[in-house]
Coordinates of all heavy atoms in Angstrom, one line a residue:
M1 N -24.4 4.6 -18.7 CA -23.4 3.6 -18.4 C -23.9 2.7 -17.2 O -23.8 1.5 -17.2 CB -22.1 4.2 -18.1 CG -21.0 3.2 -18.0 SD -20.7 2.5 -19.6 CE -19.2 1.6 -19.3
N2 N -24.5 3.4 -16.3 CA -25.0 2.7 -15.1 C -26.2 1.8 -15.5 O -26.4 0.7 -14.9 CB -25.5 3.8 -14.1 CG -25.8 3.1 -12.7 OD1 -25.3 2.0 -12.4 ND2 -26.5 3.9 -11.9
L3 N -27.0 2.2 -16.5 CA -28.1 1.4 -16.9 C -27.6 0.1 -17.6 O -28.2 -1.0 -17.3 CB -29.0 2.2 -17.9 CG -30.2 1.5 -18.5 CD1 -31.2 1.1 -17.4 CD2 -30.8 2.3 -19.6
I4 N -26.5 0.2 -18.3 CA -26.0 -1.0 -19.0 C -25.5 -2.0 -17.9 O -25.7 -3.2 -18.0 CB -24.9 -0.6 -19.9 CG1 -25.4 0.2 -21.1 CG2 -24.1 -1.9 -20.5 CD1 -24.4 0.7 -22.1
K5 N -24.8 -1.5 -16.9 CA -24.3 -2.4 -15.8 C -25.4 -3.1 -15.1 O -25.4 -4.2 -14.7 CB -23.4 -1.6 -14.9 CG -22.1 -1.3 -15.5 CD -21.1 -0.7 -14.4 CE -19.8 -0.4 -15.1 NZ -18.7 -0.3 -14.2
K6 N -26.5 -2.3 -14.9 CA -27.7 -2.8 -14.2 C -28.3 -3.9 -15.0 O -28.7 -5.0 -14.5 CB -28.7 -1.7 -13.9 CG -29.8 -2.1 -13.1 CD -30.7 -1.0 -12.7 CE -31.9 -1.4 -11.9 NZ -32.8 -0.3 -11.5
M7 N -28.4 -3.7 -16.3 CA -29.0 -4.7 -17.2 C -28.1 -6.0 -17.3 O -28.6 -7.1 -17.3 CB -29.2 -4.1 -18.6 CG -30.3 -3.1 -18.7 SD -30.4 -2.3 -20.4 CE -30.7 -3.7 -21.4
Q8 N -26.8 -5.8 -17.3 CA -25.9 -6.9 -17.3 C -26.0 -7.7 -16.0 O -26.0 -9.0 -16.0 CB -24.4 -6.5 -17.5 CG -24.1 -6.0 -18.9 CD -22.7 -5.5 -19.0 OE1 -22.1 -5.1 -17.9 NE2 -22.2 -5.4 -20.2
S9 N -26.2 -7.0 -14.9 CA -26.4 -7.7 -13.6 C -27.7 -8.5 -13.6 O -27.7 -9.6 -13.1 CB -26.4 -6.6 -12.5 OG -26.6 -7.2 -11.3
N10 N -28.7 -7.9 -14.1 CA -30.0 -8.6 -14.2 C -29.9 -9.8 -15.1 O -30.5 -10.9 -14.7 CB -31.1 -7.6 -14.7 CG -31.5 -6.6 -13.7 OD1 -31.3 -6.8 -12.5 ND2 -32.2 -5.5 -14.1
I11 N -29.3 -9.7 -16.2 CA -29.1 -10.9 -17.1 C -28.3 -12.0 -16.4 O -28.7 -13.1 -16.5 CB -28.5 -10.4 -18.4 CG1 -29.5 -9.5 -19.2 CG2 -28.1 -11.6 -19.3 CD1 -28.9 -8.9 -20.4
K12 N -27.2 -11.6 -15.8 CA -26.4 -12.6 -15.1 C -27.3 -13.3 -14.0 O -27.2 -14.5 -13.8 CB -25.2 -12.0 -14.4 CG -24.1 -11.7 -15.4 CD -22.9 -11.1 -14.7 CE -21.9 -10.6 -15.7 NZ -20.7 -10.0 -15.1
K13 N -28.1 -12.5 -13.3 CA -28.9 -13.1 -12.2 C -29.9 -14.0 -12.8 O -30.2 -15.1 -12.3 CB -29.6 -12.0 -11.5 CG -30.5 -12.4 -10.3 CD -31.1 -11.3 -9.6 CE -32.0 -11.7 -8.4 NZ -33.1 -12.5 -8.8
E14 N -30.5 -13.7 -13.9 CA -31.5 -14.5 -14.6 C -30.9 -15.9 -15.0 O -31.5 -16.9 -14.8 CB -32.2 -13.8 -15.8 CG -33.1 -12.7 -15.4 CD -34.3 -13.2 -14.7 OE1 -34.8 -14.3 -15.0 OE2 -34.8 -12.4 -13.8
F15 N -29.7 -15.8 -15.6 CA -29.0 -17.0 -16.0 C -28.6 -17.9 -14.8 O -28.7 -19.1 -14.9 CB -27.8 -16.7 -16.9 CG -28.1 -16.4 -18.3 CD1 -27.7 -15.2 -18.9 CD2 -28.7 -17.4 -19.1 CE1 -28.0 -15.0 -20.2 CE2 -29.0 -17.2 -20.4 CZ -28.6 -16.0 -21.0
T16 N -28.2 -17.3 -13.8 CA -27.9 -18.0 -12.6 C -29.1 -18.7 -12.0 O -29.1 -19.9 -11.6 CB -27.3 -17.1 -11.5 OG1 -26.2 -16.4 -12.0 CG2 -26.8 -17.9 -10.3
D17 N -30.2 -18.0 -11.9 CA -31.5 -18.5 -11.5 C -32.0 -19.7 -12.4 O -32.5 -20.7 -11.9 CB -32.6 -17.5 -11.3 CG -32.3 -16.5 -10.2 OD1 -31.4 -16.8 -9.4 OD2 -32.9 -15.4 -10.2
L18 N -31.8 -19.5 -13.7 CA -32.2 -20.5 -14.6 C -31.4 -21.7 -14.5 O -31.9 -22.9 -14.6 CB -32.1 -19.9 -16.1 CG -32.6 -20.8 -17.2 CD1 -34.1 -21.1 -17.0 CD2 -32.3 -20.2 -18.5
N19 N -30.1 -21.6 -14.2 CA -29.2 -22.7 -14.0 C -29.6 -23.5 -12.8 O -29.4 -24.7 -12.7 CB -27.8 -22.2 -14.0 CG -26.8 -23.3 -14.2 OD1 -27.1 -24.4 -14.7 ND2 -25.6 -23.1 -13.7
K20 N -30.1 -22.8 -11.8 CA -30.4 -23.5 -10.5 C -31.8 -24.2 -10.6 O -32.1 -25.0 -9.7 CB -30.4 -22.5 -9.4 CG -29.0 -22.0 -9.0 CD -29.1 -21.0 -7.9 CE -27.8 -20.4 -7.6 NZ -27.8 -19.4 -6.5
E21 N -32.6 -23.9 -11.6 CA -33.9 -24.4 -11.7 C -33.8 -25.9 -12.0 O -33.3 -26.3 -13.1 CB -34.7 -23.7 -12.8 CG -36.1 -24.1 -13.0 CD -36.9 -23.7 -11.9 OE1 -36.8 -22.6 -11.3 OE2 -37.8 -24.5 -11.5
I22 N -34.4 -26.7 -11.2 CA -34.3 -28.2 -11.4 C -35.7 -28.8 -11.3 O -35.9 -30.0 -11.3 CB -33.4 -28.9 -10.4 CG1 -33.8 -28.6 -8.9 CG2 -32.0 -28.5 -10.6 CD1 -33.1 -29.5 -7.9
H23 N -36.8 -28.0 -11.1 CA -38.1 -28.5 -11.1 C -38.5 -29.2 -12.4 O -38.2 -28.7 -13.5 CB -39.1 -27.4 -10.8 CG -38.9 -26.7 -9.5 ND1 -39.1 -27.4 -8.3 CD2 -38.5 -25.5 -9.2 CE1 -38.8 -26.6 -7.3 NE2 -38.5 -25.4 -7.8
G24 N -39.1 -30.3 -12.3 CA -39.5 -31.0 -13.5 C -38.4 -32.0 -14.0 O -38.7 -32.8 -14.9
Q25 N -37.2 -32.0 -13.4 CA -36.2 -32.9 -13.9 C -36.6 -34.4 -13.6 O -36.4 -35.3 -14.4 CB -34.9 -32.6 -13.2 CG -33.7 -33.5 -13.6 CD -32.4 -33.1 -13.0 OE1 -32.3 -32.1 -12.3 NE2 -31.4 -33.9 -13.2
G26 N -37.1 -34.6 -12.4 CA -37.6 -36.0 -12.0 C -38.6 -36.5 -12.9 O -38.6 -37.6 -13.3
A27 N -39.6 -35.6 -13.3 CA -40.7 -36.0 -14.2 C -40.1 -36.4 -15.6 O -40.5 -37.4 -16.2 CB -41.7 -34.9 -14.3
A28 N -39.2 -35.6 -16.0 CA -38.5 -35.9 -17.3 C -37.8 -37.2 -17.3 O -37.9 -38.0 -18.3 CB -37.6 -34.8 -17.7
E29 N -37.2 -37.5 -16.2 CA -36.4 -38.8 -16.1 C -37.4 -40.0 -16.1 O -37.2 -41.0 -16.7 CB -35.6 -38.8 -14.8 CG -34.4 -37.9 -14.9 CD -33.7 -37.7 -13.6 OE1 -34.1 -38.3 -12.6 OE2 -32.6 -37.1 -13.6
Y30 N -38.6 -39.8 -15.4 CA -39.6 -40.9 -15.4 C -40.2 -41.1 -16.8 O -40.4 -42.2 -17.2 CB -40.7 -40.6 -14.4 CG -40.3 -40.9 -13.0 CD1 -40.3 -39.9 -12.0 CD2 -40.0 -42.2 -12.6 CE1 -40.0 -40.2 -10.7 CE2 -39.6 -42.5 -11.3 CZ -39.7 -41.5 -10.3 OH -39.3 -41.8 -9.0
I31 N -40.4 -40.0 -17.5 CA -40.9 -40.1 -18.8 C -39.9 -40.9 -19.7 O -40.3 -41.8 -20.5 CB -41.2 -38.7 -19.4 CG1 -42.4 -38.1 -18.7 CG2 -41.4 -38.8 -20.9 CD1 -42.6 -36.6 -19.0
L32 N -38.7 -40.6 -19.6 CA -37.7 -41.3 -20.4 C -37.6 -42.8 -20.0 O -37.5 -43.7 -20.9 CB -36.3 -40.7 -20.2 CG -36.1 -39.3 -20.9 CD1 -34.8 -38.7 -20.5 CD2 -36.2 -39.4 -22.4
L33 N -37.7 -43.1 -18.7 CA -37.7 -44.4 -18.2 C -38.9 -45.2 -18.8 O -38.7 -46.3 -19.3 CB -37.7 -44.5 -16.7 CG -37.7 -45.8 -16.1 CD1 -36.4 -46.6 -16.3 CD2 -37.9 -45.7 -14.6
F34 N -40.1 -44.7 -18.6 CA -41.3 -45.4 -19.1 C -41.3 -45.5 -20.6 O -41.7 -46.5 -21.2 CB -42.5 -44.7 -18.6 CG -42.8 -44.8 -17.1 CD1 -43.1 -43.7 -16.4 CD2 -42.6 -46.0 -16.5 CE1 -43.3 -43.8 -15.0 CE2 -42.8 -46.2 -15.2 CZ -43.2 -45.1 -14.4
G35 N -40.7 -44.5 -21.3 CA -40.6 -44.6 -22.8 C -39.7 -45.7 -23.2 O -40.0 -46.4 -24.1
G36 N -38.6 -45.9 -22.5 CA -37.7 -47.0 -22.8 C -38.3 -48.3 -22.5 O -38.2 -49.3 -23.3
V37 N -39.1 -48.4 -21.5 CA -39.8 -49.7 -21.2 C -40.8 -50.0 -22.2 O -41.0 -51.1 -22.7 CB -40.4 -49.6 -19.8 CG1 -41.4 -50.8 -19.5 CG2 -39.4 -49.6 -18.7
I38 N -41.5 -49.0 -22.7 CA -42.6 -49.2 -23.7 C -41.9 -49.6 -25.0 O -42.4 -50.5 -25.7 CB -43.4 -47.9 -23.9 CG1 -44.3 -47.7 -22.7 CG2 -44.2 -47.9 -25.2 CD1 -45.0 -46.4 -22.6
V39 N -40.8 -49.0 -25.4 CA -40.1 -49.4 -26.6 C -39.6 -50.8 -26.6 O -39.8 -51.6 -27.5 CB -38.9 -48.4 -26.9 CG1 -38.0 -49.0 -28.0 CG2 -39.4 -47.0 -27.2
I40 N -39.1 -51.3 -25.4 CA -38.6 -52.6 -25.3 C -39.8 -53.6 -25.4 O -39.8 -54.7 -26.0 CB -37.9 -52.8 -24.0 CG1 -36.5 -52.1 -24.0 CG2 -37.7 -54.3 -23.6 CD1 -35.8 -52.0 -22.7
A41 N -41.0 -53.2 -24.7 CA -42.1 -54.1 -24.8 C -42.7 -54.2 -26.2 O -43.0 -55.3 -26.7 CB -43.2 -53.5 -23.9
I42 N -42.7 -53.1 -27.0 CA -43.2 -53.2 -28.3 C -42.2 -54.0 -29.2 O -42.7 -54.8 -30.0 CB -43.3 -51.7 -28.9 CG1 -44.5 -51.1 -28.2 CG2 -43.5 -51.8 -30.4 CD1 -44.7 -49.6 -28.6
A43 N -40.9 -53.9 -29.0 CA -40.0 -54.7 -29.7 C -40.1 -56.1 -29.4 O -40.1 -57.0 -30.3 CB -38.5 -54.2 -29.4
A44 N -40.4 -56.5 -28.2 CA -40.6 -57.9 -27.8 C -41.9 -58.4 -28.5 O -41.9 -59.6 -29.0 CB -40.7 -58.1 -26.3
L45 N -42.9 -57.6 -28.5 CA -44.1 -58.1 -29.1 C -44.0 -58.3 -30.6 O -44.5 -59.2 -31.2 CB -45.3 -57.1 -28.9 CG -45.9 -57.1 -27.5 CD1 -46.9 -55.9 -27.3 CD2 -46.5 -58.4 -27.2
L46 N -43.2 -57.4 -31.2 CA -43.0 -57.6 -32.7 C -42.1 -58.8 -33.0 O -42.4 -59.5 -33.9 CB -42.3 -56.3 -33.2 CG -43.1 -55.1 -33.3 CD1 -42.3 -53.9 -33.8 CD2 -44.3 -55.3 -34.2
I47 N -41.2 -59.1 -32.1 CA -40.3 -60.3 -32.3 C -41.1 -61.6 -32.1 O -41.0 -62.5 -32.9 CB -39.1 -60.2 -31.3 CG1 -38.2 -59.1 -31.7 CG2 -38.4 -61.6 -31.3 CD1 -37.1 -58.8 -30.7
Y48 N -42.0 -61.6 -31.1 CA -42.7 -62.8 -30.8 C -44.2 -62.8 -31.3 O -45.0 -63.6 -31.0 CB -42.8 -63.0 -29.3 CG -41.4 -63.3 -28.7 CD1 -40.8 -62.4 -27.9 CD2 -40.9 -64.6 -28.9 CE1 -39.5 -62.7 -27.4 CE2 -39.6 -64.9 -28.4 CZ -39.0 -64.0 -27.7 OH -37.7 -64.3 -27.2
R49 N -44.4 -61.9 -32.3 CA -45.8 -61.8 -32.8 C -46.2 -63.1 -33.5 O -47.4 -63.5 -33.2 CB -45.8 -60.6 -33.8 CG -47.2 -60.5 -34.5 CD -47.3 -59.3 -35.4 NE -46.1 -59.3 -36.3 CZ -45.8 -58.4 -37.2 NH1 -46.7 -57.4 -37.3 NH2 -44.8 -58.4 -37.9
Q50 N -45.4 -63.7 -34.3 CA -45.8 -64.9 -34.9 C -46.1 -66.0 -33.9 O -47.0 -66.8 -34.1 CB -44.7 -65.4 -35.9 CG -45.1 -66.5 -36.8 CD -44.0 -66.9 -37.7 OE1 -42.9 -66.4 -37.7 NE2 -44.3 -67.8 -38.6
Y51 N -45.3 -66.1 -32.9 CA -45.5 -67.1 -31.8 C -46.9 -66.9 -31.2 O -47.6 -67.9 -30.9 CB -44.4 -67.0 -30.8 CG -44.5 -68.0 -29.7 CD1 -44.1 -69.3 -29.9 CD2 -44.9 -67.6 -28.4 CE1 -44.2 -70.2 -28.9 CE2 -45.0 -68.5 -27.4 CZ -44.6 -69.8 -27.6 OH -44.6 -70.7 -26.6
F52 N -47.3 -65.7 -31.0 CA -48.6 -65.4 -30.3 C -49.8 -65.6 -31.3 O -50.9 -65.9 -30.9 CB -48.6 -64.1 -29.7 CG -47.8 -64.0 -28.4 CD1 -46.7 -63.2 -28.4 CD2 -48.1 -64.7 -27.3 CE1 -45.9 -63.1 -27.3 CE2 -47.3 -64.6 -26.2 CZ -46.2 -63.8 -26.1
E53 N -49.5 -65.3 -32.6 CA -50.6 -65.4 -33.6 C -50.9 -66.8 -34.0 O -51.9 -67.0 -34.7 CB -50.3 -64.5 -34.8 CG -50.4 -63.0 -34.5 CD -50.0 -62.2 -35.7 OE1 -49.5 -62.7 -36.7 OE2 -50.2 -60.9 -35.6
N54 N -50.0 -67.7 -33.8 CA -50.2 -69.1 -34.3 C -51.4 -69.7 -33.5 O -51.4 -70.0 -32.4 CB -48.9 -69.9 -34.0 CG -49.0 -71.2 -34.7 OD1 -49.9 -71.6 -35.3 ND2 -47.9 -71.9 -34.6
T55 N -52.5 -69.9 -34.3 CA -53.7 -70.4 -33.7 C -53.8 -71.9 -33.8 O -54.7 -72.5 -33.2 CB -55.0 -69.8 -34.4 OG1 -54.9 -70.1 -35.8 CG2 -55.0 -68.3 -34.1
N56 N -52.9 -72.5 -34.5 CA -52.9 -74.0 -34.6 C -52.5 -74.7 -33.3 O -52.9 -75.8 -33.1 CB -52.0 -74.4 -35.8 CG -52.6 -73.9 -37.1 OD1 -53.8 -73.7 -37.2 ND2 -51.7 -73.8 -38.1
T57 N -51.6 -74.0 -32.6 CA -51.1 -74.6 -31.4 C -51.4 -73.7 -30.2 O -51.5 -72.5 -30.4 CB -49.6 -74.9 -31.4 OG1 -48.9 -73.6 -31.6 CG2 -49.2 -75.8 -32.5
E58 N -51.6 -74.3 -29.1 CA -51.9 -73.5 -27.9 C -50.5 -73.1 -27.3 O -49.5 -73.7 -27.4 CB -52.6 -74.3 -26.8 CG -54.0 -74.7 -27.3 CD -54.7 -75.5 -26.2 OE1 -54.4 -75.4 -25.1 OE2 -55.7 -76.2 -26.6
L59 N -50.6 -72.0 -26.5 CA -49.4 -71.6 -25.8 C -49.2 -72.5 -24.6 O -50.0 -72.4 -23.7 CB -49.5 -70.1 -25.4 CG -49.5 -69.1 -26.5 CD1 -49.7 -67.7 -25.9 CD2 -48.2 -69.1 -27.3
N60 N -48.1 -73.3 -24.6 CA -47.9 -74.2 -23.5 C -46.5 -74.1 -23.1 O -45.6 -74.7 -23.8 CB -48.3 -75.6 -24.0 CG -48.3 -76.6 -22.8 OD1 -47.8 -76.3 -21.7 ND2 -48.8 -77.8 -23.1
A61 N -46.2 -73.3 -22.1 CA -44.8 -73.1 -21.7 C -44.1 -74.3 -21.3 O -42.9 -74.5 -21.6 CB -44.8 -72.0 -20.6
S62 N -44.7 -75.2 -20.6 CA -44.0 -76.4 -20.1 C -43.6 -77.3 -21.3 O -42.5 -77.9 -21.4 CB -44.9 -77.2 -19.2 OG -46.1 -77.7 -19.8
Q63 N -44.5 -77.4 -22.3 CA -44.1 -78.2 -23.5 C -43.0 -77.5 -24.3 O -42.1 -78.2 -24.8 CB -45.4 -78.4 -24.4 CG -45.1 -79.2 -25.7 CD -44.7 -80.6 -25.3 OE1 -45.2 -81.2 -24.4 NE2 -43.7 -81.1 -26.0
D64 N -43.0 -76.2 -24.4 CA -42.0 -75.4 -25.0 C -40.6 -75.6 -24.4 O -39.6 -75.8 -25.0 CB -42.3 -74.0 -25.1 CG -43.5 -73.7 -26.0 OD1 -43.8 -74.5 -26.9 OD2 -44.1 -72.6 -25.9
I65 N -40.6 -75.6 -23.0 CA -39.4 -75.8 -22.3 C -38.9 -77.2 -22.5 O -37.7 -77.4 -22.8 CB -39.6 -75.6 -20.8 CG1 -39.9 -74.1 -20.5 CG2 -38.4 -76.1 -20.0 CD1 -40.3 -73.8 -19.1
N66 N -39.7 -78.2 -22.5 CA -39.3 -79.6 -22.8 C -38.8 -79.7 -24.2 O -37.8 -80.4 -24.5 CB -40.5 -80.6 -22.6 CG -40.8 -80.8 -21.1 OD1 -39.9 -80.6 -20.3 ND2 -42.0 -81.1 -20.8
D67 N -39.4 -79.0 -25.2 CA -38.9 -79.1 -26.6 C -37.5 -78.5 -26.7 O -36.6 -79.0 -27.4 CB -39.8 -78.3 -27.5 CG -41.2 -79.0 -27.7 OD1 -41.3 -80.2 -27.4 OD2 -42.1 -78.4 -28.2
V68 N -37.3 -77.4 -26.0 CA -35.9 -76.8 -26.0 C -34.9 -77.7 -25.3 O -33.8 -77.8 -25.8 CB -36.0 -75.4 -25.3 CG1 -34.6 -74.8 -25.1 CG2 -36.8 -74.4 -26.1
R69 N -35.3 -78.3 -24.2 CA -34.4 -79.2 -23.5 C -34.0 -80.4 -24.4 O -32.9 -80.8 -24.5 CB -35.0 -79.7 -22.2 CG -35.0 -78.7 -21.1 CD -35.5 -79.2 -19.8 NE -35.5 -78.2 -18.8 CZ -36.4 -78.2 -17.8 NH1 -37.2 -79.1 -17.6 NH2 -36.3 -77.2 -16.9
N70 N -35.0 -81.0 -25.1 CA -34.8 -82.1 -26.0 C -33.9 -81.7 -27.1 O -33.0 -82.4 -27.5 CB -36.1 -82.7 -26.5 CG -36.9 -83.3 -25.4 OD1 -36.3 -83.8 -24.4 ND2 -38.2 -83.4 -25.5
A71 N -34.1 -80.5 -27.7 CA -33.3 -80.0 -28.8 C -31.8 -79.8 -28.3 O -30.9 -80.1 -29.0 CB -33.9 -78.7 -29.3
M72 N -31.7 -79.2 -27.1 CA -30.3 -79.0 -26.6 C -29.6 -80.4 -26.3 O -28.4 -80.5 -26.6 CB -30.3 -78.2 -25.3 CG -30.8 -76.8 -25.6 SD -29.7 -75.9 -26.7 CE -28.3 -75.7 -25.7
N73 N -30.3 -81.3 -25.8 CA -29.7 -82.6 -25.5 C -29.4 -83.4 -26.8 O -28.4 -84.1 -26.8 CB -30.7 -83.5 -24.6 CG -30.8 -82.9 -23.2 OD1 -29.8 -82.3 -22.7 ND2 -31.9 -83.2 -22.6
S74 N -30.1 -83.2 -27.8 CA -29.9 -83.9 -29.1 C -28.6 -83.3 -29.8 O -28.0 -84.0 -30.6 CB -31.1 -83.9 -30.0 OG -31.3 -82.6 -30.4
T75 N -28.3 -82.1 -29.5 CA -27.1 -81.5 -30.2 C -25.8 -81.9 -29.4 O -24.8 -81.7 -30.0 CB -27.3 -80.0 -30.2 OG1 -27.4 -79.5 -28.9 CG2 -28.4 -79.6 -31.1
L76 N -25.9 -82.4 -28.2 CA -24.7 -82.7 -27.5 C -24.2 -84.0 -27.8 O -24.2 -84.9 -28.2 CB -25.0 -82.6 -26.0 CG -25.3 -81.3 -25.4 CD1 -25.6 -81.4 -23.9 CD2 -24.1 -80.3 -25.6

């Protein structure tokens, strides 16, 4: 009977120690954070893929902004 109580005590101690174990939690959080950023970056690349692959026109942000402004002004 004493052996069973000792084993139960050891098991409870192991579970308590396991519950207190927090090493690696920060690393896991960083992995999840970087994973989320990578997923968002890939999604953005897939959405804008045609825009970047268009070889007929150069990427010109100032012209694109002017086109958007002109389009917005024409709808008002």
Side-chain angles (χ1 to χ4, degrees):
M1 189 68 169
N2 192 17
L3 180 62
I4 293 174
K5 287 189 180 198
K6 187 175 180 181
M7 287 176 59
Q8 287 176 342
S9 174
N10 285 342
I11 291 172
K12 285 181 184 178
K13 183 180 180 294
E14 289 294 326
F15 277 122
T16 305
D17 291 345
L18 184 63
N19 194 23
K20 291 179 183 177
E21 183 68 39
I22 59 170
H23 298 294
Q25 181 179 355
E29 291 171 354
Y30 280 121
I31 289 170
L32 289 173
L33 178 68
F34 290 134
V37 169
I38 289 170
V39 167
I40 291 170
I42 290 172
L45 286 174
L46 290 175
I47 291 169
Y48 292 108
R49 177 177 47 183
Q50 186 177 8
Y51 182 76
F52 288 114
E53 286 179 353
N54 192 356
T55 57
N56 296 333
T57 61
E58 295 179 22
L59 293 176
N60 190 348
S62 61
Q63 182 61 41
D64 292 342
I65 291 171
N66 287 333
D67 290 343
V68 170
R69 284 183 183 153
N70 292 333
M72 294 299 292
N73 289 332
S74 68
T75 60
L76 295 176

